[in-house]
Amino acid sequence: MKLRLPAPILLLLPAIIVLVAVIVLPLLLSFYSSFTPFRLTRPETLWTFIGLRNYINVLSNWDFWVAFGRTILLLTIALNAEMFLGLGLAMLVNKATHGQRLLRTLMMFPMMFSPVLVGFQFKFMFNDNIGLVNNALQSLGLTDQAIPWLINGNLALFSIIVAEVWSSTSVFAILILAGLLAMPQEPVEAARVDGCTPWQTFRYVTWPFIMPFAFIAMTIRSLDVARAYDIVKIMTDGGPAGRTELLWTLVGRTAYSDARMGVANAMAYVSIVLSILFTVYFFRKLAAARQQIGAEW
């Protein structure tokens, strides 16, 4: 008796095969290799099982935790800056009486650039000798010598943060603007009638309504920043002296420069677990914001 699959499964079968081949099998292989001393230069090491040794080494690796702390620092500064700038842009566009569609299009402009292109743009802008930033500062008389933006450790991290904020503030702006456009105007008008100041209206009426939209943007961007790689790789390659090394640049360096693929995969899975914890935290904040809106509105 021949086994006949239902028509929906037959229609989905090509997509399932592609997903298994492109996503599931590589994930299973990488997860297995994280329990081996697999090196790219020694393929036979893929079949040597060493248990949790890689994970123990990762959790006791000082460089990993330094990169983790630096990633948290980048995430904290970038997310807060993007949220405040995105909120300001969204409120300005929402107040515009003419050309709002054009402003929304311009606001989305940075999102059209790939992270690699953004990295090259800002690497050129912060170049010591020919960069636009140094030339502008010297032309304005604010400095008489070139500032080593990408050579000084603290300034290099600041330059990366500027690039991240420029490229992704529009994510917050678009989602917060969507919340502002969906917000009913009756509570705002009632607050004005009751004599509330603009700040009080924003603090107690507008912000509680748009808070879930901000948390959605924060969740999306936290995952992006937590796995930041392209911009850092192009601008500084983790330098100088590892001062801008983040989690995923460390993973890439361990995997390909050092050829320690097993250890790199263990680092990657620990990083994924940490990213999931951040996502759970933001979703809890989102749920609390929704409950607050339900109670107040």
Side-chain angles (χ1 to χ4, degrees):
M1 182 177 179
K2 293 183 178 181
L3 179 63
R4 296 179 63 86
L5 295 175
I9 295 180
L10 286 174
L11 292 172
L12 291 173
L13 192 58
I16 293 173
I17 293 173
V18 171
L19 287 175
V20 169
V22 175
I23 297 177
V24 177
L25 289 179
L27 281 176
L28 291 176
L29 180 61
S30 66
F31 185 66
Y32 164 75
S33 69
S34 69
F35 297 98
T36 70
F38 179 42
R39 286 179 174 268
L40 293 177
T41 54
R42 297 176 58 194
E44 69 277 4
T45 56
L46 180 62
W47 312 112
T48 304
F49 187 79
I50 60 172
L52 296 174
R53 191 183 305 170
N54 284 337
Y55 287 92
I56 294 173
N57 290 338
V58 168
L59 294 176
S60 59
N61 187 342
W62 175 250
D63 290 337
F64 175 81
W65 290 111
V66 170
F68 173 73
R70 193 175 291 116
T71 304
I72 296 299
L73 176 64
L74 175 67
L75 187 148
T76 303
I77 298 175
L79 286 187
N80 281 284
E82 290 171 16
M83 186 179 70
F84 285 114
L85 291 174
L87 176 63
L89 283 173
M91 296 191 71
L92 287 174
V93 173
N94 188 52
K95 292 291 185 181
T97 55
H98 300 287
Q100 195 176 96
R101 291 184 180 179
L102 176 61
L103 291 174
R104 289 201 297 263
T105 303
L106 292 175
M107 194 166 59
M108 295 177 61
F109 186 70
M111 296 177 60
M112 301 176 187
F113 292 91
S114 70
V116 173
L117 183 57
V118 172
F120 278 117
Q121 284 178 327
F122 279 87
K123 185 175 183 179
F124 169 73
M125 290 175 62
F126 285 109
N127 185 274
D128 297 359
N129 299 317
I130 60 173
L132 296 177
V133 175
N134 274 336
N135 286 336
L137 292 176
Q138 290 174 343
S139 298
L140 294 172
L142 299 178
T143 180
D144 56 354
Q145 58 184 356
I147 299 174
W149 294 102
L150 301 179
I151 298 176
N152 180 282
N154 296 326
L155 293 178
L157 187 61
F158 170 78
S159 303
I160 291 171
I161 291 173
V162 171
E164 283 282 352
V165 170
W166 181 87
S167 65
S168 300
T169 295
S170 52
V171 175
F172 280 87
I174 291 168
L175 287 172
I176 292 175
L177 179 61
L180 291 172
L181 294 175
M183 180 179 173
Q185 294 302 306
E186 289 81 3
V188 177
E189 295 172 358
R192 290 172 181 169
V193 170
D194 289 341
C196 292
T197 64
W199 165 247
Q200 290 173 327
T201 303
F202 171 78
R203 172 66 181 84
Y204 296 105
V205 179
T206 305
W207 176 244
F209 185 86
I210 63 176
M211 191 185 296
F213 297 88
F215 277 124
I216 291 172
M218 196 167 289
T219 303
I220 295 171
R221 283 295 299 142
S222 66
L223 294 175
D224 286 340
V225 176
R227 54 187 173 85
Y229 179 81
D230 310 71
I231 291 178
V232 181
K233 181 69 177 177
I234 297 298
M235 291 183 67
T236 63
D237 195 19
R243 295 290 296 276
T244 58
E245 191 85 276
L246 303 181
L247 276 180
W248 287 98
T249 58
L250 178 62
V251 170
R253 190 181 307 282
T254 304
Y256 300 109
S257 299
D258 300 341
R260 296 187 297 160
M261 187 62 75
V263 176
N265 283 328
M267 282 185 182
Y269 279 101
V270 173
S271 302
I272 289 171
V273 171
L274 295 174
S275 298
I276 291 173
L277 293 178
F278 273 102
T279 305
V280 171
Y281 170 77
F282 283 124
F283 270 113
R284 286 185 175 178
K285 288 290 187 180
L286 175 61
R290 285 176 172 172
Q291 289 179 357
Q292 181 178 356
I293 288 179
E296 295 181 356
W297 291 65

